[in-house]
Amino acid sequence: MENSSKIFYAALAVLVLGAHGAGLASAGAEGLAFGLFASLTLGGALVCIWERSVVRSAFSLMATFIGIAGLFLLLTADFLAMAQILIYVGGILALILFGVMLTPPDMEERKLPRVLSGLVLIGGGFAWVGMQVADSAHFATRAADASLEGVNNAKRIGVGFLAADQYVVAFELAAVVLTVALVAAVYIARRRRVDLEPAAAGELTGYDASNGGDA
Amino acid sequence: MGLEAYVAVSAGLFALGIIAIIVRRNVLYVLMGIEMILNAANINFVAFSHFQGDSLDGRMFAIFTIILAAAEAAVALAIVLNVFHLYDSIKPSDADLLRE
Amino acid sequence: MEFNPEVDFPLLMAVLAIPVTAFILQIAFGKKLPRQGDWLPTTGMFGVMCITVYLAFKAITAAYHTGGDGEEHAALDFLWSSPDAGFQFKWLFDSAKDAGPLNVVAGILYDPLGAVMLAVVGIVCFCVHLFSMGYMAGDRRYHIFFANISLFSFAMLGLVLSDNILFLFIFWEIMGLMSYQLIGHFSQDPSVPFFHKWATWASKKAFLTTRIGDCLLFVGLFIFYRNFNLAWEASATLQQAMPDFQPLLFTDMWEMGRLIVAQNGGEFPAWMTLGGLCAFGGTIGKSAQFPLHIWLPDAMAGPTPVSAMIHAATMVAAGVFLLGRMYPLMSPEVLNVVTVIGAITALFAATIGMVVYDLKAVLAYSTISQLGFMVTAVGLGGLTAGMFHMVTHAFFKACLFLSAGSVIHGCHHVQDMRLMGGVRKYMPITFVCMLVCTLAIAGVPFFSGFYSKDMIILAGWAGVLDPAHGGWIPAFALASLAIAAMMTAFYMFRLIFMTFFGEYRGNQKQHMYTEQIALEGLEGPPLHGHDDDHGDDHGHDDHSDADHHGHDDHGGTPHESPWPIVVAISILAFLGMFGGHFWLADPGHLIHPTHSEPWFTKLATPESMYGPEVGAWATTKISEGIHNHDSDLAHSSHAYAVGLSLTVASLGILLAWFLYVRRRDLPNVIATKLGPIYTLVRRRYFIDEIATACFIKPTMQLCTVFKTIDERIIDGFVLLNGAIHHKLAFFWTWIDKTVVDGLVNFVGLLSQAFGAAFRLLQTGRIQQYAAFAVGGGLLVAAWLILS
């Protein structure tokens, strides 16, 4: 492990511990849970950005998704939390790993200055804007309704999907979109015979037509 | 924990997603960044829904977002494979035909 | 059969619509249609002929059945103008004041004269269409030709039907344009070398010569228009009498003319005389009256069917028709001028007709002469006689021209009578038709021309005998007409004898024609051609003509023409024979032909043409002898007239027979004896030369003077101006180069620099673009927060 990574992970560990402490200090057990899930989310994302290896990045992204599922649990959206784990961790992440497998590894692609400057610039910009907004914004919040707590959530969502006066049209549309997207994905990713021939590949990009003629 | 904490986590995740899209030289990181951004939005939806009271709307939005994210991931991966076939590379900076 | 406005006005509109539709279709699609679409205008014209003949039949029947014998008011209820039937459209109309000076209404005027004229135009134009199908076969611009004659017919039909003088003028001009097109049909057509430059020249000549008359007519139109308006506005009586006066409508013009003359104590105001003279100028141009007749003989450079059309039904008839329309507005002074001009024309054209050798030229001069007859008749007050002669003349002259075309066609496009002879053996039908019509034009009894010519002579006698009329003018007119009638008989039979009798001379002497033409330059563009385009052409006429004949198969003898030609001339010959007196509606007149009037006099009286009041008023200008058939004057005039016309006709025919059948050596002897007089007549009284010397040369010289002025003085100014500006230009160049160009270059550089800068941003890298987007979003957020 190189030095910069050591420093990074050490700093990350300190930050995570700080987050736990801050959560525990501000809201007790719930705060501790929030600190855990928030640090899992943001830490996973940070590691994802930081790591050279795409595989490691993908697995750190799993941590992010699990963290988000935890946050959903804390927000009493237990169905969403399960869907998050099922779809993201089981589906999307698997897809990304397939992508990692199908493409060659490129260990040298990360440049530390680039990542750091991106972190500083964009992160700093967002942090600054976020703080300014947080200063001026006032969210009118109500206490969460006790009847919503946990148990009936999945059932309510299922009823909402299928009830004619709620989301059934959107639900059906979503089904159609999914089907179309999957068929389209298969169509696009289909390995065409012409792709195997270099000249034809050139034709597809249009290089042969414009530049090849001149040469 | 209040709404502000969730919104802050959401904002942080969003910023990290943006960074992933912009700074990493691999198309797969772009995909991951997009997932992060979508998830950041989801956190916001659910958090606002939770703190706004008795409404399913936010959660429903989140569910549809997840559905669309799944579709998007499938299509995006197919595109990534196609780009790789065409350019022999998965660096977004190599796919610069738009400049011509 | 009564005239029924609800049905018959749409029919009349169809008469106008059919040929113009045919023209448009023919122009647009003619070339692609089978047979180049010649059947299209021909069929259309057949429909027009059917409609017009049906309507004329109605009119004549009505004239016979509603009136008793000799009743002049027989067809009084026959003057129809379209406002009665609602067939009138308003043009430039300000409805706020119905009689505003700028309001123009246009519609259809249908009177007995128009009814007959329409039928004549319909029949003749149909025959010409039919004839052209045979005669023009193989022509280079065959479909265009049919389109053109269709529009030509349309113009004449429209002119006859117009109920206002403005539209009459419009159709008049369309006709002028179409005559230009058709006379010049052969121009630039290398397949007819003798014609093609002559055609160009002749079409220009026809157009420009008639244009003089057109200008005069236009001036006359404005004189009438303006003064009628002024008179109407000034006089409360007139306003009361005619509250919605339209100064361009014929009916209103006649009525207003009558009222104004009545107001003026029976005297015509001076402006009416002036306007009448100008309007008569239009007739002089269009109807080829002296001295503007020069275009008509050259009009034979066009194809023969066109000549037939121009000479019979359309072009020249329009001028006489205009006289008929304007007659009530013409003061006695104007009528005197009309008489004199007509008499001169009749006489002098007849003399030329006696000496020319070109078949069509003889007919052309005879047309001019006959037109002179008509115009003289109108001038003498014999309005009906003049119009009648126009009708009969249309039939037999169309037939003569088409027969001549048939002969020319049969004789392999030879036109010189000296090269013909004995053709009657080869072309019997053509010969019969031509003979019939020659008898008609010569004024032999029972043929149509006799009746109309007799009426004209009658008008002359009545004028001479009438003490109220008196003076030298009727006497002069009568003498001229008598001599001209004799000459007509002479030259027409000279034509018949030279062409159809004796031996065929075309084979052995074929070069004589071309040499004669080249030598004399008489039938064709004159040798003295002032026109530079053609000045060098006449010397080569013999070459080109020889070429032309070289292409023709010249060995053959004449042959009878194809069926369309024969059918067309047969129809016209039938009408030329019977057109004068023959009328089925009144069989009694067939049995006792000499004791009754021709049908036309029953139909077209001044009363029926102009309405009762105006008609009666117009009759006051007419000699009692024509007007009142029961008077002593009428009886004596009648006797004299019949005697005179019979005498001159038989004299002329006998003379022709003697000179051209009995003693064929005599004509040359006489010509030599007469010497200079013969040359004078042979060279057409040098009128072309006089016109050249008096008008064209001076115009050219004036042009030269103006050109000099233009070149020396005006160009000098222009050059000086130019020099000044040239000097100034240096200054402006400096300013231009330093200041303006500098600015422009600066702007260019600026945008180039911006372009270069922005080009750096255009990398094509998606991530960079995303970064810019995010950065931009952050900047916007920062601006929103900070502001």
Side-chain angles (χ1 to χ4, degrees):
Chain A
M1 215 178 213
E2 51 190 302
N3 277 333
S4 59
S5 279
K6 281 178 187 162
I7 298 168
F8 171 76
Y9 282 113
L12 191 62
V14 171
L15 276 178
V16 168
L17 280 177
H20 281 77
L24 186 65
S26 64
E30 196 198 343
L32 186 67
F34 178 80
L36 172 68
F37 292 132
S39 54
L40 203 56
T41 305
L42 293 179
L46 262 179
V47 173
C48 173
I49 292 167
W50 178 265
E51 266 298 334
R52 280 172 190 274
S53 158
V54 193
V55 185
R56 284 189 201 170
S57 289
F59 277 103
S60 71
L61 196 62
M62 189 173 75
T64 302
F65 291 150
I66 290 171
I68 291 169
L71 288 179
F72 286 166
L73 275 179
L74 285 184
L75 289 168
T76 67
D78 42 3
F79 175 76
L80 260 181
M82 282 185 293
Q84 173 83 10
I85 289 176
L86 273 175
I87 294 174
Y88 272 102
V89 180
I92 295 177
L93 207 58
L95 267 180
I96 290 175
L97 285 173
F98 266 112
V100 173
M101 282 187 334
L102 290 170
T103 52
D106 184 6
M107 296 299 284
E108 297 304 315
E109 64 92 21
R110 190 200 70 177
K111 297 264 191 310
L112 196 55
R114 209 176 136 87
V115 175
L116 283 178
S117 62
L119 270 176
V120 170
L121 274 178
I122 301 173
F126 270 91
W128 180 75
V129 170
M131 281 193 291
Q132 299 293 323
V133 172
D135 277 354
S136 59
H138 302 283
F139 301 118
T141 59
R142 273 183 286 173
D145 193 341
S147 66
L148 279 177
E149 289 295 326
V151 279
N152 286 328
N153 231 338
K155 191 180 174 190
R156 283 190 70 207
I157 287 172
V159 170
F161 269 147
L162 299 176
D165 60 339
Q166 295 196 42
Y167 300 98
V168 66
V169 178
F171 179 66
E172 299 296 338
L173 276 178
V176 172
V177 167
L178 261 183
T179 315
V180 170
L182 290 178
V183 171
V186 171
Y187 177 79
I188 294 171
R190 184 172 50 105
R191 187 171 274 251
R192 270 156 291 193
R193 195 163 289 278
V194 286
D195 294 350
L196 301 172
E197 299 160 19
E203 257 174 39
L204 276 175
T205 61
Y207 279 121
D208 277 2
S210 56
N211 299 339
D214 294 339
Chain B
M1 297 300 288
L3 177 60
E4 289 82 1
Y6 290 96
V7 173
V9 171
S10 163
L13 192 59
F14 182 84
L16 290 171
I18 293 282
I19 293 166
I21 289 176
I22 291 175
V23 299
R24 297 306 297 256
R25 300 192 163 184
N26 191 326
V27 182
L28 292 171
Y29 282 96
V30 175
L31 284 186
M32 292 188 229
I34 289 170
E35 299 302 341
M36 288 183 212
I37 290 170
L38 288 171
N39 273 300
N42 268 356
I43 294 174
N44 258 357
F45 277 131
V46 178
F48 276 102
S49 169
H50 177 75
F51 289 102
Q52 284 294 91
D54 183 19
S55 169
L56 270 181
D57 287 350
R59 284 159 216 193
M60 283 295 176
F61 262 103
I63 288 172
F64 287 119
T65 311
I66 291 173
I67 292 170
L68 288 181
E72 174 263 349
V75 175
L77 195 69
I79 291 172
V80 167
L81 292 181
N82 245 349
V83 167
F84 175 62
H85 287 152
L86 286 177
Y87 294 96
D88 257 343
S89 155
I90 47 170
K91 291 180 184 172
S93 53
D94 286 346
D96 56 358
L97 260 180
L98 265 178
R99 187 173 55 183
E100 303 303 325
Chain C
M1 282 186 287
E2 288 295 312
F3 186 78
N4 178 9
E6 276 74 38
V7 181
D8 291 347
F9 270 118
L11 276 180
L12 290 172
M13 289 311 284
V15 162
L16 283 185
I18 290 171
V20 77
T21 315
F23 164 76
I24 291 167
L25 290 178
Q26 181 71 0
I27 279 284
F29 309 111
K31 204 156 191 179
K32 294 171 195 133
L33 293 174
R35 286 183 56 86
Q36 297 203 22
D38 58 355
W39 46 271
L40 184 72
T42 311
T43 320
M45 201 45 72
F46 182 72
V48 169
M49 180 179 83
C50 292
I51 295 173
T52 52
V53 168
Y54 163 70
L55 289 174
F57 184 78
K58 254 188 175 177
I60 298 165
T61 322
Y64 269 92
H65 283 256
T66 53
D69 48 332
E71 177 107 19
E72 300 255 343
H73 295 257
L76 271 194
D77 51 348
F78 199 61
L79 175 67
W80 283 93
S81 63
S82 48
D84 306 335
F87 262 80
Q88 191 172 43
F89 72 90
K90 297 180 163 79
W91 192 41
L92 307 173
F93 201 84
D94 178 9
S95 52
K97 37 176 193 170
D98 265 0
L102 279 176
N103 286 351
V104 177
V105 294
I108 286 177
L109 178 65
Y110 190 64
D111 67 328
L113 177 62
V116 177
M117 202 57 212
L118 274 186
V120 169
V121 176
I123 293 169
V124 171
C125 288
F126 169 68
C127 289
V128 166
H129 277 72
L130 191 62
F131 180 89
S132 306
M133 287 172 78
Y135 189 83
M136 298 300 288
D139 185 73
R140 205 169 58 121
R141 296 163 69 218
Y142 189 69
H143 65 290
I144 298 285
F145 179 79
F146 273 91
N148 281 348
I149 55 175
S150 199
L151 190 63
F152 202 12
S153 319
F154 160 73
M156 187 63 194
L157 293 166
L159 184 139
V160 172
L161 283 174
S162 298
D163 75 340
N164 67 84
I165 195 166
L166 189 64
F167 271 63
L168 182 137
F169 185 74
I170 289 170
F171 286 115
W172 178 280
E173 289 297 324
I174 295 177
M175 202 143 57
L177 173 68
M178 292 327 287
S179 70
Y180 169 76
Q181 291 268 341
L182 285 166
I183 293 169
H185 179 76
F186 285 138
S187 52
Q188 315 309 323
D189 187 349
S191 64
V192 277
F194 177 63
F195 280 111
H196 77 278
K197 288 195 170 171
W198 181 21
T200 314
W201 179 81
S203 58
K204 267 193 276 184
K205 184 176 177 183
F207 193 65
L208 293 176
T209 313
T210 52
R211 181 44 41 106
I212 298 171
D214 295 353
C215 289
L216 284 173
L217 173 60
F218 204 45
V219 171
L221 193 157
F222 274 118
I223 290 174
F224 279 120
Y225 176 76
R226 166 120 181 105
N227 286 296
F228 275 141
N229 259 334
L230 286 180
W232 185 79
E233 276 164 15
S235 159
T237 333
L238 292 180
Q239 284 177 21
Q240 208 167 17
M242 305 189 68
D244 49 354
F245 173 62
Q246 291 289 339
L248 289 171
L249 286 186
F250 283 123
T251 43
D252 283 14
M253 285 171 83
W254 299 331
E255 180 66 15
M256 184 57 85
R258 184 182 74 88
L259 293 175
I260 286 175
V261 171
Q263 212 178 32
N264 209 21
E267 294 286 316
F268 279 81
W271 58 265
M272 274 179 89
T273 306
L274 190 62
L277 278 177
C278 286
F280 179 59
T283 301
I284 292 182
K286 213 69 160 182
S287 288
Q289 296 299 296
F290 179 86
L292 294 183
H293 67 280
I294 45 175
W295 66 272
L296 192 57
D298 279 302
M300 68 185 180
T304 304
V306 174
S307 305
M309 223 158 167
I310 289 176
H311 286 253
T314 54
M315 188 85 172
V316 296
V320 182
F321 186 80
L322 175 74
L323 271 190
R325 283 277 189 252
M326 299 298 282
Y327 179 76
L329 299 175
M330 287 183 162
S331 64
E333 294 82 15
V334 177
L335 289 179
N336 283 341
V337 173
V338 171
T339 312
V340 172
I341 295 275
I344 292 174
T345 311
L347 183 60
F348 107 107
T351 55
I352 302 177
M354 291 196 300
V355 296
V356 290
Y357 287 108
D358 187 303
L359 188 59
K360 283 169 78 177
V362 176
L363 294 176
Y365 280 104
S366 99
T367 303
I368 299 176
S369 174
Q370 300 303 312
L371 289 168
F373 274 81
M374 301 169 205
V375 169
T376 316
V378 175
L380 287 169
L383 179 67
T384 312
M387 297 300 136
F388 188 27
H389 197 54
M390 175 170 74
V391 170
T392 56
H393 174 261
F395 289 135
F396 58 66
K397 186 49 63 71
C399 177
L400 283 172
F401 253 104
L402 294 185
S403 305
S406 175
V407 170
I408 292 166
H409 190 259
C411 293
H412 312 287
H413 291 274
V414 171
Q415 297 196 1
D416 195 304
M417 293 194 292
R418 284 166 296 193
L419 295 181
M420 296 172 179
V423 180
R424 76 173 187 277
K425 285 195 284 288
Y426 308 106
M427 311 177 75
I429 305 174
T430 306
F431 168 66
V432 171
C433 294
M434 200 152 187
L435 184 66
V436 165
C437 291
T438 306
L439 289 168
I441 194 176
V444 173
F446 306 113
F447 289 88
S448 63
F450 169 75
Y451 299 101
S452 51
K453 204 177 267 188
D454 179 48
M455 281 180 68
I456 293 175
I457 304 264
L458 165 71
W461 269 115
V464 171
L465 293 180
D466 188 359
H469 204 128
W472 61 275
I473 290 172
F476 167 72
L478 180 62
S480 305
L481 291 190
I483 299 169
M486 190 187 75
M487 289 175 172
T488 306
F490 173 77
Y491 64 67
M492 285 314 295
F493 274 90
R494 168 176 172 265
L495 182 149
I496 287 286
F497 291 139
M498 282 184 83
T499 309
F500 290 100
F501 287 78
E503 292 302 312
Y504 183 56
R505 300 181 289 269
N507 286 333
Q508 56 267 38
K509 295 187 191 169
Q510 52 179 285
H511 293 295
M512 178 184 161
Y513 173 64
T514 56
E515 280 161 16
Q516 284 274 339
I517 293 292
L519 203 67
E520 299 180 347
L522 296 176
E523 278 101 36
L527 277 172
H528 53 77
H530 43 263
D531 198 336
D532 285 340
D533 292 348
H534 304 93
D536 61 339
D537 183 43
H538 311 305
H540 303 296
D541 266 349
D542 46 349
H543 290 300
S544 49
D545 205 38
D547 285 348
H548 172 45
H549 286 276
H551 292 308
D552 256 339
D553 54 330
H554 224 277
T557 47
H559 53 81
E560 188 58 276
S561 301
W563 70 267
I565 296 185
V566 173
V567 170
I569 60 176
S570 304
I571 296 173
L572 289 171
F574 177 80
L575 287 167
M577 180 157 178
F578 296 110
H581 205 263
F582 177 71
W583 185 244
L584 282 175
D586 196 23
H589 292 269
L590 275 181
I591 303 164
H592 303 291
T594 48
H595 290 100
S596 66
E597 312 156 59
W599 57 272
F600 193 80
T601 50
K602 272 195 172 295
L603 180 64
T605 55
E607 285 85 354
S608 69
M609 278 162 62
Y610 305 124
E613 286 172 347
V614 178
W617 168 66
T619 321
T620 56
K621 293 192 280 191
I622 299 175
S623 281
E624 194 194 345
I626 321 168
H627 175 48
N628 184 357
H629 289 266
D630 300 326
S631 65
D632 293 341
L633 182 60
H635 282 297
S636 47
S637 323
H638 258 289
Y640 287 133
V642 173
L644 182 63
S645 51
L646 282 177
T647 317
V648 293
S650 35
L651 261 180
I653 295 170
L654 278 178
L655 195 60
W657 175 78
F658 182 70
L659 286 180
Y660 287 95
V661 178
R662 206 57 199 262
R663 296 284 304 277
R664 287 205 212 156
D665 52 326
L666 268 186
N668 282 335
V669 177
I670 295 172
T672 333
K673 280 260 174 68
L674 286 176
I677 299 176
Y678 177 77
T679 317
L680 177 69
V681 180
R682 187 82 180 87
R683 300 299 298 269
R684 308 157 165 191
Y685 295 92
F686 296 99
I687 288 193
D688 276 307
E689 285 82 350
I690 291 169
T692 311
C694 292
F695 300 108
I696 298 165
K697 278 270 170 62
T699 310
M700 292 300 207
Q701 273 158 5
L702 201 62
C703 287
T704 320
V705 171
F706 280 132
K707 190 183 162 206
T708 320
I709 291 176
D710 202 30
E711 280 178 349
R712 295 281 157 76
I713 298 170
I714 297 178
D715 279 13
F717 274 114
V718 173
L719 287 177
L720 181 67
N721 197 6
I724 292 168
H725 281 280
H726 191 66
K727 290 287 180 286
L728 272 177
F730 284 113
F731 174 66
W732 288 119
T733 313
W734 180 80
I735 292 208
D736 207 31
K737 277 190 177 155
T738 47
V739 180
V740 181
D741 281 12
L743 274 175
V744 172
N745 286 341
F746 176 69
V747 171
L749 279 175
L750 206 62
S751 43
Q752 259 183 352
F754 272 112
F758 283 119
R759 207 182 134 76
L760 294 177
L761 300 180
Q762 180 78 12
T763 55
R765 291 194 183 128
I766 300 160
Q767 286 173 310
Q768 204 170 355
Y769 294 162
F772 287 141
V774 170
L778 283 175
L779 283 179
V780 170
W783 179 68
L784 283 176
I785 290 162
L786 294 179
S787 62

